[in-house]
Amino acid sequence: MTEAAFNRERHLKYFLRCLKTFLPSLYTSNDSNRILLAFFTIAGLDILGELQNKTTPEERKGYIQWIYHCQVPSGGFRGFTGTDFGLERRNPANESWDPANVPSTFFALLILVILGDDLSRVKRTECLQWLPKMQRENGSFGEVLGPNGEIEGGGDLRFCCFAAGTRYILRGKRGSDVEDLDVDKLVEFIEACQTYDGGISEAPFCESHSGHTYCGIGALTFLGRLSEGDKSVALLSPGSEAFETLTRWLVARQTSELGDDEEDAHEEDDHTESARDPLNTAQAADNVDEMFGQLPTLPTPSTETLEWAGFNGRCNKYADTCYSFWNGATLTMMDRFALVDADRNRRYLLDKTQHLIGGFGKGVGEPPDLLHSYFGMVSLAFQGEAGLEGVDPALCASHRAVRHLHTLPWWQERAV
């Protein structure tokens, strides 16, 4: 086979178009999550190593100003400026109509760090006071505070990860006098989400999912990086059953089933009502062997089809660009990325979902979008792809940005 090539210049043009021109109309429904779109765009240029070269100081200052426009006076950040009705109109009775948002707060802080801001204008104390109010009794986190301070939305591991990440960014090594999250309850909730097959689900007793697995391990990684004690968590302890079963589940997500084969057009024509639902008939119970004999014969994988192997997010699903990130980043945090067939994952991304105009699509033949374009590049960055900066798997930002974060005052052992 010809060597797969990373089209760096086309990806650079793709992210610059997304930053400096109008996004396609399909993004309209994501307007309230504009901070997330901004993160993918700014962070994408950063891991390409071109953020400073392709934007002017004035432009970066403007991006920073927009992020601060999304800051809520009582702490945290809103997802976009559309709910801001002005300080002169804001009061305790109506502030629940313009709430801070847990995911948006995490991504707003990351964008500021990537852009080189010193976070001096962040309402750090107010944000750290607001964050524990978002934690539920079971240790999970909501998305926003509604009327009367009620926790609304959220509840799954995504919000646990964003809350732990916000805590990580703003508490730092020196910590804070503000009351902390209930870390033990958060850890208990994450541990309760591990399922029988080793993967981690959005909540206890749900189906394992790579995205939620990443969020659970990401949250534990953030907590562990600030931990001063020796208390270990089984999910991050090599040799424990929780760790080893999770590792096996993650590695098993790599698949050569790409979803690019033609479906049999006559599939429905050959099925009778009883064949479509054989277990609903009494006769089927007496003819199990015959039923097995009627199952279709699956083709044996060929050398050619095994050249590409991406990742899926759940059992029996096709590969998807973003799962190369969710699974790969989780294995990186667990120091088990060496178990990935990196060469076949690279070929999948570059031959199958890398788009001609730049960016990556979700699957084979699909158009590029910001989420899959960013996660496709980050997955390649874990493998040391030339032309990409190294990426911290938990913060999902470049090592350069993380080094800047660690220069901030609350990350110093002593006051500066």
Side-chain angles (χ1 to χ4, degrees), residues 196-256:
Y196 71 94
D197 59 9
I200 300 175
S201 59
E202 62 180 288
F205 309 113
C206 295
E207 181 185 12
S208 299
H209 188 284
S210 295
H212 292 290
T213 298
Y214 167 83
C215 290
I217 297 302
L220 293 176
T221 299
F222 286 132
L223 298 176
R225 287 179 180 180
L226 296 183
S227 175
E228 296 180 357
D230 296 324
K231 186 177 181 180
S232 61
V233 178
L235 279 166
L236 292 181
S237 301
S240 71
E241 181 179 1
F243 182 95
E244 299 303 333
T245 55
L246 173 57
T247 301
R248 285 196 294 271
W249 185 85
L250 287 166
V251 173
R253 302 278 60 74
Q254 190 159 19
T255 177
S256 61

Side-chain angles (χ1 to χ4, degrees), residues 119-177:
L119 306 193
S120 59
R121 286 181 281 169
V122 170
K123 295 182 180 295
R124 179 170 170 252
T125 298
E126 291 85 346
C127 189
L128 289 173
Q129 289 172 335
W130 161 75
L131 205 55
K133 297 176 184 177
M134 304 303 304
Q135 190 170 20
R136 293 190 169 98
E137 284 296 318
N138 66 355
S140 69
F141 282 80
E143 183 175 4
V144 298
L145 284 180
N148 302 315
E150 296 177 359
I151 302 172
E152 296 184 356
D156 60 58
L157 287 179
R158 293 173 298 173
F159 302 89
C160 296
C161 183
F162 298 140
T166 299
R167 172 186 182 268
Y168 174 79
I169 293 172
L170 293 182
R171 286 188 70 88
K173 288 294 185 182
R174 288 173 52 199
S176 171
D177 294 333

Side-chain angles (χ1 to χ4, degrees), residues 172-344:
K173 288 294 185 182
R174 288 173 52 199
S176 171
D177 294 333
V178 176
E179 182 180 355
D180 199 1
L181 311 177
D182 191 328
V183 172
D184 290 338
K185 275 192 175 181
L186 174 55
V187 172
E188 288 174 9
F189 179 79
I190 296 170
E191 291 178 323
C193 291
Q194 188 172 27
T195 70
Y196 71 94
D197 59 9
I200 300 175
S201 59
E202 62 180 288
F205 309 113
C206 295
E207 181 185 12
S208 299
H209 188 284
S210 295
H212 292 290
T213 298
Y214 167 83
C215 290
I217 297 302
L220 293 176
T221 299
F222 286 132
L223 298 176
R225 287 179 180 180
L226 296 183
S227 175
E228 296 180 357
D230 296 324
K231 186 177 181 180
S232 61
V233 178
L235 279 166
L236 292 181
S237 301
S240 71
E241 181 179 1
F243 182 95
E244 299 303 333
T245 55
L246 173 57
T247 301
R248 285 196 294 271
W249 185 85
L250 287 166
V251 173
R253 302 278 60 74
Q254 190 159 19
T255 177
S256 61
E257 295 293 329
L258 309 184
D260 55 348
D261 295 328
E262 292 290 334
E263 296 291 339
D264 291 334
H266 60 275
E267 182 178 357
E268 285 296 320
D269 297 337
D270 295 339
H271 287 183
T272 64
E273 185 65 30
S274 60
R276 281 195 296 268
D277 197 6
L279 295 181
N280 285 340
T281 65
Q283 182 182 8
D286 299 325
N287 297 289
V288 175
D289 291 336
E290 183 179 343
M291 290 168 55
F292 277 117
Q294 295 174 354
L295 292 174
T297 300
L298 297 177
T300 302
S302 65
T303 302
E304 181 181 357
T305 61
L306 292 177
E307 292 289 347
W308 304 276
F311 284 83
N312 61 28
R314 293 178 289 159
C315 296
N316 300 316
K317 296 293 184 180
Y318 291 131
D320 179 324
T321 295
C322 67
Y323 291 115
S324 289
F325 167 77
W326 300 120
N327 292 288
T330 306
L331 287 166
T332 300
M333 288 186 282
M334 298 171 68
D335 195 25
R336 291 295 182 272
F337 189 79
L339 298 174
V340 170
D341 191 330
D343 184 52
R344 287 177 171 81

